[in-house]
Amino acid sequence: MKNWENRLSGLLLIAAGVILLAILVCNLWIFPPGEGLEPVLLESSMAESSEYPEMPEPPGPVNLNTATLEELDALPGIGETLAQRILDYREANGGFQTLEEFMEVDGIGQSTFEELKGKITLE
């Protein structure tokens, strides 16, 4: 009888080990460890944190024909790359003749134009 109990307890230990190993392997497969990953904050106050400073908006409408890269970059939805495209377009075409011509810049669509229409000018 003792021999049977020893075998049963050994089998139970092996089964528990296999189950724990399976859980570990599945978790590593689903959630692989990563180097340098930081947790994502889901708080609504994330923008208020000094860790993620917001770009200040320009004080008034930005003149598309005279604005610097920094002034264009400060417009909402315009990053450094798109600001450079605006400058390149302006240089290649001798400036903007109408506000609607702004949409001819690669990356500026109707929705971006509508969002920025009150924040840009040609004067």
Side-chain angles (χ1 to χ4, degrees), residues 49-99:
S49 168
S50 62
E51 188 176 347
Y52 301 100
E54 287 188 23
M55 291 292 296
E57 284 195 35
V62 173
N63 186 328
L64 293 177
N65 288 323
T66 61
T68 64
L69 179 80
E70 292 77 20
E71 291 171 325
L72 292 168
D73 186 23
L75 288 168
I78 306 293
E80 188 175 334
T81 302
L82 197 48
Q84 186 60 55
R85 284 188 202 152
I86 295 166
L87 293 177
D88 293 343
Y89 180 91
R90 183 174 78 193
E91 185 177 324
N93 296 288
F96 294 90
Q97 303 306 312
T98 66
L99 284 180

Side-chain angles (χ1 to χ4, degrees), residues 1-78:
M1 188 77 162
K2 195 81 159 157
N3 196 14
W4 183 82
E5 289 175 357
N6 287 341
R7 285 185 182 178
L8 181 60
S9 98
L11 288 174
L12 288 175
L13 282 174
I14 290 172
V18 168
I19 290 171
L20 288 174
L21 183 62
I23 291 171
L24 178 65
V25 168
C26 285
N27 279 334
L28 288 176
W29 179 68
I30 294 171
F31 305 105
E35 287 186 32
L37 297 179
E38 295 181 19
V40 176
L41 299 176
L42 299 177
E43 300 174 12
S44 61
S45 63
M46 188 168 92
E48 297 171 11
S49 168
S50 62
E51 188 176 347
Y52 301 100
E54 287 188 23
M55 291 292 296
E57 284 195 35
V62 173
N63 186 328
L64 293 177
N65 288 323
T66 61
T68 64
L69 179 80
E70 292 77 20
E71 291 171 325
L72 292 168
D73 186 23
L75 288 168
I78 306 293

